[in-house]
Structure formats: C-alpha cells, structure tokens
Amino acid sequence: MPSPHVYRRIYVWELPVRAFHWINALAIATLGVTGLIIGKPFSVSYAQEASFQYWFGTVRFIHFTAGYVFLFNMLVRVYWGFAGNQYARWSTFIPTTKAAFQEIVEVLKIDILQVSVKGRIHIGHNRLAGLIYFITTFIFFFQALTGFALYGPTSHSILGKLAAWVVPLMGSEAVVRQWHHAMLWFYVLFVMVHVYLVFYHDYVEGRGTTSSMVGGWKFEREDQLDH
Amino acid sequence: MSGGKHTLWEVMREKGYSRRDFMQFCSFAAAAAGLGPNASAAVAKAFEKKARPPVIWLHFQECTCCSESFIRASHPIVADVLLDAISLDYTETLQAAAGHQAEKCKSDTLKAYAGKYILLVEGSVPTKADGVYCTIGGRTAEDILQEAAAGAAAIVAWGNCASYGCVQNAKPNPTGATPIHELISKPVINVPGCPPIADVMVGVVTHILMFGRIPDLDDQGRPKEFYSRRVHDTCYRRPNYDAGLFVETFDDDNARKGFCLYKMGCRGPVTYNACSVTKWNQGTSYPIQSGHGCIGCSENKFWDNGPFYRHLPSFPGFGIESTADSVGVTLGAVAAVGVAAHAISTNIRKRKLIHDQVAEDVKNTPENEKVDR
Ligand code: SF4
Ligand code: SF4
C-alpha cells in the first residue's frame, strides 16, 4: 500500500477567470445552437400569417445579443491576462522558455502516448492546454469579427462598422457567412474534447480539476510544490 | 456622330421630342439619380445648357446582357436619348460604323475630347497568355482599355463582368479574366449585376451627366444610392423570414403562399442590389416576386458560392455535395470516437496510477486505520 500524500490547496482560478469561463460557456452554447438554427431553420408555423409570429427573428436577436456578450467577455479576459495571477497571465499561454516546450512534449507523452514521465506539469493550464487556448483566442476573435461584419449592415452598431473591412477582404458576404458558419463546427469539436479532458484529468490526476472551475481551488501534492 | 457640341435638349428637339417629353425625361432622370421631385427644374437646366460629353462604350469578355438591360429602361425616352443622343461615339454592338471607320471614330474622340469623355466598360479583361483571349482590331482588350481609360473623365464598369469578373473569373478562371478596377488606377464606378438593373444604369449615367462628377461610392466602388442595401432588407417576403415561414420545396403549399425563399438558397441576405425596390422590366417584377430565390448576381464571386438552390455553399475541397455542416458532423463523429478510444486506453494504460490514487484514500491506508475512529 502506498503511503498517502499530503496535498495542499492552491487558489488557481480567480473569480474573473471563473466568471469568464462560465459566461463564455453559456455564450458559446447559445451562439452555437442559435447559429445552427439560423444556418438551417426548421419549420415552426404556429400561425398562418407572418404578422402573428416572429420566432426566427427572435432566434437571430438572441444570437446577436450573445455575440455581444461573447465579445466583451473575451475582451475582459484579455485584460485579465495582464492583471490576473500567474495562472491567468498570458505568459502561461504563450510558450517562450525551453522548459515550456519541454512541458508540451511531456504532456503529449503523458496524455496521448500515455506513458509516465518525471517532469512536473503546471497546476494551472498545462503548457499544451495553454498554447491551444492561445490559438483558440484567435479563432474566437475571427468568429467575433466575421460575425460583426455580417451583423453590421443590419444595424447601426459601431462594432459592425469597425468590422466592415472583413467583407471586401474575404471577397463577399457569402464567403464571410460560409466561414463564420464552418467555424461553428470548430466549437462543437472543441467543446467535446475540452469537456472530456476536464473529466479525464480529474479522473487520472485527482487534483480537483472539475470543482476548481467553480471554487477556484486545485490540489497539489506537497512534495511536488515548487516553493 | 460627334459629341460635345450639342446639349441634350437640342438633340431631343432635333429628334422630334416635345418640350413636354423633355421635362418628363428630366423628372425621370432626377428620380433615377435619387433626387427629389423639386430637382427636375435643375436637371432640365443642366440638360439645356451643358454640352453632352461624348461616351465610349467598350465591350470585352461579356454577353451583352448589360447593353440589353440598358435599352429596357423604364422610361422609353431614356434608352433613345441616352444611347442615341448622349453621343455614343463608339460601341461595337450599336454603332453604324464598322472596321477601320469605327476605330478611327474612337481614336478621334479619344484625342479631341481627352479628359472629357465618359468611358463605359462592359466585360472583363483577360490577362493570361498576353491577353490573346480577347482582341479587337488586332489589339488586346487590356491595351484598348488602358488607352481609353487614360483620358476618361469618368469610368463606369457595367455588370458583374467588369466589376468582379463574373463567370469568366469563376474558378479556375482559365483566361485570367480580371475586373476593370484591378487594371486601372483611377476610380472606377462598379455597377454590378448580371445584368445590372436598367434603371440603375440610367441613374448612374444621369448622375454623371447632371453633376459632372461621379456619385458617392462605397468601399467596393459601388454607387451608394443603389447598392447600400441588401435585396433582403427591402424584400416583401421579409416578414415571412422573421416569422420563420419558409418555402421547403418549390411546389409546396408554402411556395404558393409566398413564404420566404431562404431555405431554397435565396442569396438576398448577402446580396447588395436594388432589385426589391426598383424591380425589373419597368417595375414589373423581380426574381423573388416570381418565386425564385436571389442568386446573388451582383456579388463578387457569386458563381463560386453555389449551388444556387442550397443555402449553404459547398465546402471548398470536400466535393460538390459537402457543406460545412456535413464536414462538421463527420469531424464530430471522428472526435467522439477518438474521445471514447482515449477513455478506454486511459483505463488500461493508467490503471496502476488510478489504482494508486484510489489507494491514497485515507480509509484505505494502514497508518490511518490506527487513528481512524
Ligand atoms: S426571399 Fe430571400 S431576400 Fe426575401 S426575405 Fe427571404 S431570404 Fe430575404
Ligand atoms: S434578385 Fe439577386 S440574383 Fe436576381 S437580379 Fe437581383 S441581385 Fe441578381
């Protein structure tokens, strides 16, 4: 029987990070579902005349509203990448040191090849996850940019005007729409793998990954803490 | 016919039009150019006093549908007056002269009215293989275009061909068909559409004649007065769109009721044109009114965003029938299988680790058994 390890509580995810995560999750879920409906509306006709129903308009309204929430939430998180604790900072997302790249290789070995390694894996985002989130940020902004470019002509939104240059750059609105729609599937895949990995890490490592998304606390073996 | 000498009014009088016809034409022109009814007096004044600038109309890679559209403008006098009387010094389709005579007529105008004439271009210009795919009188389209553009007071690109390249420019674009504005450094007025609406064409030309300058253009060079709204924004079926009432097949009950054609591939939501306002053929109808979705004929690369009868275009590189959704569903299934496989392999390969972890539970450890109460 192995002797029990002493674990320490570490406050990893500060409140703004947790709030960002769940607002983001909610916004993405809303945007994804409404986006799929806008792309391929089903038939709901509870009225015979157009003047008595407005469901498709409502779905679009929800999509646009969620789009605003998604963008501004994202911007707050970008700011928090400069103001937050060591686990929230951009430096954990962008690998610059040799050690960071080493950790990426080690994470790949542990989680994909599933062999054991000696190195210590970050208690916050592991370096590979951090890098993937960093790349995801660009896709998030791509989605926001194409979304507002499409939304712009239908509103007086300043954001729409700021994104207007995207249309001539990509060719036409039909093309922007195509890519905006295709990227929706990135989120579907991302969410599938992301949610799985949360459970996987919690299951294999027992460091409280799942509950940390709510409370902010993770657990680390005392002998593995760096002081 | 030589341009620049007479005013429009003089020409009309010569052709036997009455003052009343002239005034009617002026109010139509004012309306076409987006001016209010009070403006027709000013328009009449301009057409009475200002000498008409000569017009050169060039034809390159095109099907002449723009010309065909133009002569069907709402007001009968418009085509007559503008085509015949605005002093069209050169247009292959309609000019009386031919051969050397025609070419001479053009080069005379280019010289005599340098900096004054209006250049209207129909068709795209091929640039591959040194431009051999379109030559007139032994010269390449690009050569002719550059010469004519040099001294033009205003340049108008008619239709999708001249504005964006249209079908010639669709993948793989074998002739290197190029839109006019990509070859010329001067501002070009793009009047896209396949063809553009006659009344829009007249509106643009009238604007130039009346004000002596080009109309306000958007960031794609299109006159704002005609191209600032999507077909969808002013479509009379729009309430059905917002209500989620869609035609599901072309012969269903919904089609009879005139529901929205979005699910039949209508490109109205991504197409900038005046169709649903001005309509076609003297305001008779427009595609959506006749039960057919918009195919986006005034949009850049609209041939490459097909098929026309499906809302989501085919996804590039995945075959004709694959939309972003079908690719997405496949990838989703692959991800699900991958995740499941990973979960199984985790339980096998990391069994010891997981076992050790469970063994760390306080109740299971021997030391703790002693202190356990
Ligand atoms: S028919 Fe086309 S343009 Fe008209 S509301 Fe429907 S989608 Fe829009
Ligand atoms: S409805 Fe659409 S496809 Fe039809 S003429 Fe107008 S812009 Fe072109």
Short mmCIF file of all heavy atoms in Angstrom, two decimals, chain B residues 193-195 231 271-273 275 280 286-288 293-298, ligand 2:
data_model
loop_
_atom_site.label_atom_id
_atom_site.label_comp_id
_atom_site.label_asym_id
_atom_site.label_seq_id
_atom_site.Cartn_x
_atom_site.Cartn_y
_atom_site.Cartn_z
N GLY B 193 -24.08 43.35 -61.25
CA GLY B 193 -25.37 42.73 -61.54
C GLY B 193 -25.18 41.93 -62.81
O GLY B 193 -24.27 42.20 -63.59
N CYS B 194 -26.02 40.93 -63.01
CA CYS B 194 -25.86 40.11 -64.21
C CYS B 194 -27.20 39.93 -64.88
O CYS B 194 -27.81 38.90 -64.77
CB CYS B 194 -25.24 38.76 -63.87
SG CYS B 194 -24.75 37.85 -65.33
N PRO B 195 -27.67 40.96 -65.60
CA PRO B 195 -27.06 42.28 -65.79
C PRO B 195 -27.43 43.22 -64.67
O PRO B 195 -28.27 42.88 -63.84
CB PRO B 195 -27.74 42.74 -67.09
CG PRO B 195 -29.11 42.15 -66.99
CD PRO B 195 -28.92 40.82 -66.31
N VAL B 231 -30.78 42.98 -50.92
CA VAL B 231 -32.06 42.61 -51.52
C VAL B 231 -33.03 42.21 -50.40
O VAL B 231 -34.21 42.54 -50.40
CB VAL B 231 -31.85 41.44 -52.52
CG1 VAL B 231 -33.18 40.87 -52.97
CG2 VAL B 231 -31.03 41.91 -53.71
N THR B 271 -26.70 39.89 -50.52
CA THR B 271 -26.59 40.49 -51.84
C THR B 271 -27.00 41.96 -51.82
O THR B 271 -28.11 42.29 -51.40
CB THR B 271 -27.44 39.72 -52.87
OG1 THR B 271 -27.02 38.36 -52.86
CG2 THR B 271 -27.30 40.30 -54.26
N TYR B 272 -26.12 42.80 -52.30
CA TYR B 272 -26.39 44.23 -52.34
C TYR B 272 -26.86 44.62 -53.73
O TYR B 272 -26.10 44.53 -54.70
CB TYR B 272 -25.13 45.02 -51.95
CG TYR B 272 -24.84 44.87 -50.49
CD1 TYR B 272 -24.22 43.73 -49.99
CD2 TYR B 272 -25.24 45.85 -49.59
CE1 TYR B 272 -24.00 43.57 -48.65
CE2 TYR B 272 -25.02 45.70 -48.24
CZ TYR B 272 -24.40 44.56 -47.77
OH TYR B 272 -24.18 44.40 -46.42
N ASN B 273 -28.12 44.99 -53.82
CA ASN B 273 -28.67 45.40 -55.11
C ASN B 273 -30.02 46.07 -54.84
O ASN B 273 -30.56 46.00 -53.73
CB ASN B 273 -28.84 44.20 -56.05
CG ASN B 273 -28.76 44.61 -57.50
OD1 ASN B 273 -28.91 45.79 -57.84
ND2 ASN B 273 -28.52 43.65 -58.37
N CYS B 275 -32.86 45.42 -56.53
CA CYS B 275 -33.94 44.64 -57.15
C CYS B 275 -35.29 44.77 -56.46
O CYS B 275 -36.30 44.98 -57.12
CB CYS B 275 -33.58 43.17 -57.20
SG CYS B 275 -32.12 42.89 -58.15
N TRP B 280 -37.58 44.90 -62.00
CA TRP B 280 -37.06 44.76 -63.36
C TRP B 280 -38.16 45.02 -64.39
O TRP B 280 -39.34 44.91 -64.08
CB TRP B 280 -36.53 43.34 -63.56
CG TRP B 280 -35.23 43.13 -62.85
CD1 TRP B 280 -35.08 42.88 -61.53
CD2 TRP B 280 -33.93 43.17 -63.41
NE1 TRP B 280 -33.75 42.76 -61.24
CE2 TRP B 280 -33.02 42.93 -62.37
CE3 TRP B 280 -33.43 43.39 -64.70
CZ2 TRP B 280 -31.65 42.89 -62.56
CZ3 TRP B 280 -32.07 43.35 -64.90
CH2 TRP B 280 -31.18 43.11 -63.84
N TYR B 286 -39.46 41.00 -59.90
CA TYR B 286 -38.06 40.63 -59.75
C TYR B 286 -38.03 39.18 -59.30
O TYR B 286 -39.09 38.64 -58.92
CB TYR B 286 -37.33 41.58 -58.81
CG TYR B 286 -37.65 41.47 -57.35
CD1 TYR B 286 -36.70 41.04 -56.44
CD2 TYR B 286 -38.92 41.79 -56.86
CE1 TYR B 286 -36.98 40.96 -55.09
CE2 TYR B 286 -39.20 41.70 -55.52
CZ TYR B 286 -38.23 41.28 -54.64
OH TYR B 286 -38.51 41.19 -53.31
N PRO B 287 -36.88 38.52 -59.42
CA PRO B 287 -36.87 37.06 -59.23
C PRO B 287 -37.68 36.57 -58.03
O PRO B 287 -38.47 35.63 -58.17
CB PRO B 287 -35.39 36.75 -59.09
CG PRO B 287 -34.73 37.78 -59.92
CD PRO B 287 -35.54 39.02 -59.76
N ILE B 288 -37.48 37.18 -56.88
CA ILE B 288 -38.15 36.67 -55.67
C ILE B 288 -39.67 36.80 -55.79
O ILE B 288 -40.42 35.93 -55.36
CB ILE B 288 -37.60 37.40 -54.44
CG1 ILE B 288 -36.13 37.01 -54.23
CG2 ILE B 288 -38.42 37.10 -53.20
CD1 ILE B 288 -35.36 37.89 -53.30
N GLY B 293 -35.48 32.23 -55.68
CA GLY B 293 -34.55 32.94 -54.80
C GLY B 293 -33.57 33.80 -55.58
O GLY B 293 -33.37 33.61 -56.77
N CYS B 294 -32.98 34.74 -54.88
CA CYS B 294 -31.91 35.56 -55.46
C CYS B 294 -30.67 34.69 -55.59
O CYS B 294 -30.38 33.87 -54.72
CB CYS B 294 -31.65 36.73 -54.50
SG CYS B 294 -30.15 37.66 -54.83
N ILE B 295 -29.92 34.83 -56.70
CA ILE B 295 -28.69 34.03 -56.83
C ILE B 295 -27.46 34.88 -56.53
O ILE B 295 -26.34 34.44 -56.70
CB ILE B 295 -28.57 33.36 -58.22
CG1 ILE B 295 -28.53 34.40 -59.34
CG2 ILE B 295 -29.70 32.36 -58.45
CD1 ILE B 295 -28.15 33.82 -60.71
N GLY B 296 -27.70 36.11 -56.12
CA GLY B 296 -26.58 36.97 -55.73
C GLY B 296 -25.77 37.48 -56.89
O GLY B 296 -24.55 37.63 -56.80
N CYS B 297 -26.45 37.79 -58.02
CA CYS B 297 -25.73 38.10 -59.26
C CYS B 297 -24.92 39.39 -59.20
O CYS B 297 -24.12 39.65 -60.08
CB CYS B 297 -26.69 38.14 -60.44
SG CYS B 297 -27.65 39.65 -60.52
N SER B 298 -25.14 40.22 -58.17
CA SER B 298 -24.37 41.46 -58.10
C SER B 298 -23.23 41.34 -57.10
O SER B 298 -22.64 42.34 -56.70
CB SER B 298 -25.29 42.62 -57.73
OG SER B 298 -25.94 42.32 -56.51
S1 SF4 C 2 -32.64 39.22 -57.14
FE1 SF4 C 2 -30.48 38.76 -56.82
S2 SF4 C 2 -29.88 37.40 -58.49
FE2 SF4 C 2 -31.81 38.35 -59.04
S3 SF4 C 2 -31.23 40.08 -60.26
FE3 SF4 C 2 -31.46 40.81 -58.16
S4 SF4 C 2 -29.37 40.62 -57.29
FE4 SF4 C 2 -29.40 39.46 -59.17
#
